[in-house]
Amino acid sequence: MSKPNMSRLHHAIDLLGKLVAFDTTSKNSNLGLIHFVRDYLAEYGVESTLFHDETGQKANLLATIGPKGVPGIALSGHTDVVPALETTWISPAFELTERDGKLFGRGSADMKGFSACALAMIPELVKRDLEIPFHLCLSYDEEVGCIGVGSMVDHLAKMDTPPRLAVIGEPTNMKVINGQKGKYSMRVSVTGTAGHSSFAPDHVNAIEYAARAINLIADKAREFEENGPFDADFTVPHSTMLTTTISGGTATNVTPEYCEFTFEIRHLPDHDAEAVIADLQKTIMDTLDAEMKAKAEDTGFTFEKIFSYPGMGDCTDAEAFSYVSNIIPEISGKVSYGSEGGVFEKQGNIPSIICGPGSIEQAHKPNEFIEISQIEECLDFLDALTDQAAAA
């Protein structure tokens, strides 16, 4: 693959600086960034469709470049970032800063770098005689559970000619990832009875019952580790399950009346997480909850789903995967972290791979950065993809 021209590289870096400057931490609106991209695309005659959330303060953006009525390729990036509250930032988190061949700023790697590269390709895409279209897909609220992209994926799936392939531009050092785990996150509330701790046998201790439930979760985790199912291509070759947060109690001399904890399962794409959760709930309700209610009727467990997203399976046998394998022949395996790839595949029936600039090792850290060489590699990849689309 040939190196991208310097003007396009400079354009991508300039766009990345503009994208990073928008504080799109998930708790904030992303409309400033979305409207900037919409206006940028309009300068090249490209129309955008926005899919707002219920509040109207966040939106997905979909723009298509190329012919209609032909299945094309989706280029997918999320616009939200994790908070940048750490005091160890050397330079402002929402100001792109270049040092030693690296571009520092929140979201530079995860994953505004990919979006900037895709946007930098727009001038080339609009002037080429494309035989298949590119669909630029920018989403909100990926970092809080991939909960924003669904409305846009539903729209893509209902098109007369949905995309034949989605490239999810999460940071992979431009290596091709052909699978990711799904995630199911739950909140559990445990209500007991309070009283002076010297009369503990007369009370229902919410923390102790929560601890017994947590042990059941740990038992499940050990079962997955020992018995599978397994997929050796994953960085962790089995599903995982663990308790992630816990709080409860009011004082050292009061039997705890309330405890709350959260837990998750990160599951292989074909492992039925809902069935695992349902089985766990039934065990807890039939044993621990029943035991609590036998002592005090108004006690027990309640369960609340926080969010879930599906795993992404292996699409390397799909015909459209050749667009990627012709450029990057080597497959680098499957990952345990999440992305929107599973939503595109499971909800939209769109085969998906993960491939983008930067390293996941930089994600969610202070002084997040992307190497300029990674921007070059991504532009190189998108340029080659464009050549194939024009010669399809």
Side-chain angles (χ1 to χ4, degrees), residues 237-250:
H238 52 80
S239 298
T240 58
M241 200 169 184
L242 75 156
T243 302
T244 49
T245 67
I246 186 169
S247 63
T250 57

Side-chain angles (χ1 to χ4, degrees), residues 12-21 89-109 362 366-372 375:
I13 294 173
D14 179 65
L15 285 165
L16 179 56
K18 290 180 169 61
L19 297 181
V20 166
W89 281 86
I90 296 173
S91 53
F94 294 101
E95 179 180 313
L96 194 68
T97 304
E98 181 179 347
R99 295 194 300 273
D100 302 321
K102 301 171 182 175
L103 302 169
F104 291 81
R106 175 58 86 220
S108 55
Q362 296 304 319
N367 302 303
E368 176 183 349
F369 69 82
I370 188 170
E371 295 180 355
I372 293 176
I375 298 291

Side-chain angles (χ1 to χ4, degrees), residues 66 68 82 154 190 259 263 385:
K68 297 180 180 180
V82 298
D154 285 342
V190 188
C259 185
F263 72 94
L385 205 58

Side-chain angles (χ1 to χ4, degrees), residues 67 69-74 131-135 161-166 320 323 350:
V70 183
I73 298 173
E131 295 192 14
I132 66 168
F134 285 92
H135 305 281
T161 51
R164 65 179 71 184
L165 181 72
Y323 283 94
I350 301 168

